[in-house]
Amino acid sequence: MNRRPLIAGNWKMYLSVAESVRLAQAVAATSATCPDLDVMVAPAFTSLAKVCEAVGNTSLKVAAQNVAWAKEGAFTGEIAPPMLTDLGVRLAIVGHSERRQIFGESDAMINRRLLGALAGGLQPVFCVGETLEEREADRTFSVLEHQVRQGLQGVTKEEMPQVVLAYEPVWAIGTGKTATKEQAQEAHAFLRRLLAETYEKNIAEDVRILYGGSVKPDNIDSLMAQPDIDGALVGGAALKAESFERIIRFQ
Ligand code: PEP
């Protein structure tokens, strides 16, 4: 098993350009002292150029919070993969539950975004997760299976090493409710089995699966101790250098 941990911050619709640059520089300084893992931040689109400029020579990876599927065209409000790679952006989040729930992004649209990211040289961070109603109705695994199968349609086994999967139970995002380490591990193991079934066991073994949903300095250690949790996608706690640093320095 060869999975390099990835600690990722999603800054959502927060921080000015100047605040983003300052935070990215602080995170890059922490990342420089942690050679055994990858660290990523996803600033708002308006901050990407300055953040890439500020941390371009460091190990910190910069991601976009979403990406269009086309290289260019009449897509008002969207950002194309070459526009991002041009800045030095390396990854793109796709399928975040806020995109699915607030902006109505469908599995089919998320699949197009994911394929567009791969074709454009961006690593997709592909988010899946069930709502509280779905969990309570015992539908967690069927929802995850549906989202994964739809989202990864057309992705070849050769492309899979570029894909990062993120399990983010919707009921745990921004709510302060974290999945227990057992709930998270169970979902991650399920996702890995699904990838093994869809692709090959050795491919599934190498795909990084991040947990997201109210990850904080006081729960990161127990989450990262789970065998199938390879990192974290962090919202609120990634907006402060100190709390994100403690998460990056998980034990
Ligand atoms: C997220 O934005 O993906 C997220 C998990 O947010 P939070 O850590 O605030 O729950």
Side-chain angles (χ1 to χ4, degrees):
M1 187 172 62
N2 210 359
R3 300 191 296 268
R4 190 174 154 84
L6 168 61
I7 302 294
N10 172 16
W11 295 351
K12 310 195 189 198
M13 200 173 70
Y14 292 104
L15 306 179
S16 67
V17 176
E19 287 166 340
S20 300
V21 167
R22 270 199 301 278
L23 181 55
Q25 284 168 329
V27 175
T30 303
S31 169
T33 66
C34 302
D36 297 331
L37 70 155
D38 290 329
V39 182
M40 174 202 111
V41 293
F45 282 118
T46 47
S47 295
L48 282 174
K50 289 285 184 200
V51 166
C52 284
E53 232 175 82
V55 301
N57 295 325
T58 73
S59 59
L60 178 62
K61 295 174 194 290
V62 180
Q65 294 178 17
N66 207 354
V67 63
W69 49 85
K71 281 196 201 129
E72 61 178 8
F75 294 97
T76 301
E78 291 285 329
I79 309 287
M83 296 170 171
L84 297 169
T85 51
D86 193 27
L87 300 176
V89 171
R90 313 262 294 272
L91 304 97
I93 298 173
V94 295
H96 192 280
S97 67
E98 287 151 16
R99 300 302 316 175
R100 292 176 188 266
Q101 304 231 308
I102 305 171
F103 298 98
E105 291 197 11
S106 64
D107 289 308
M109 183 185 286
I110 290 159
N111 174 242
R112 291 184 79 180
R113 292 189 187 280
L114 192 151
L115 293 171
L118 285 171
L122 290 162
Q123 275 191 271
V125 178
F126 169 40
C127 305
V128 295
E130 80 288 358
T131 62
L132 186 58
E133 296 70 45
E134 289 162 344
R135 176 163 282 266
E136 285 174 347
D138 219 4
R139 291 181 49 224
T140 297
F141 291 161
S142 63
V143 167
L144 294 180
E145 178 165 354
H146 182 81
Q147 290 176 344
V148 167
R149 288 199 191 280
Q150 299 293 307
L152 292 180
Q153 255 190 51
V155 177
T156 65
K157 66 178 187 189
E158 289 73 26
E159 289 170 318
M160 271 315 283
Q162 295 304 314
V163 176
V164 176
L165 195 56
Y167 169 59
E168 298 209 301
V170 178
W171 48 272
I173 298 178
T175 58
K177 278 192 208 166
T178 326
T180 63
K181 59 186 193 309
E182 292 82 8
Q183 285 171 322
Q185 167 57 27
E186 186 187 31
H188 282 229
F190 171 80
L191 289 168
R192 204 174 303 284
R193 278 198 304 277
L194 185 58
L195 293 178
E197 223 178 274
T198 315
Y199 294 95
E200 281 167 18
K201 189 166 188 293
N202 61 328
I203 288 174
E205 282 300 318
D206 285 347
V207 171
R208 291 183 289 187
I209 309 180
L210 314 184
Y211 170 78
S214 298
V215 172
K216 302 276 183 271
D218 62 6
N219 57 27
I220 185 67
D221 298 342
S222 61
L223 288 163
M224 289 304 290
Q226 303 308 304
D228 286 292
I229 299 184
D230 308 313
L233 181 52
V234 186
L239 289 169
K240 291 268 181 298
E242 310 73 54
S243 52
F244 197 48
E245 174 168 0
R246 174 60 185 86
I247 291 170
I248 293 169
R249 296 192 193 285
F250 68 85
Q251 277 136 36

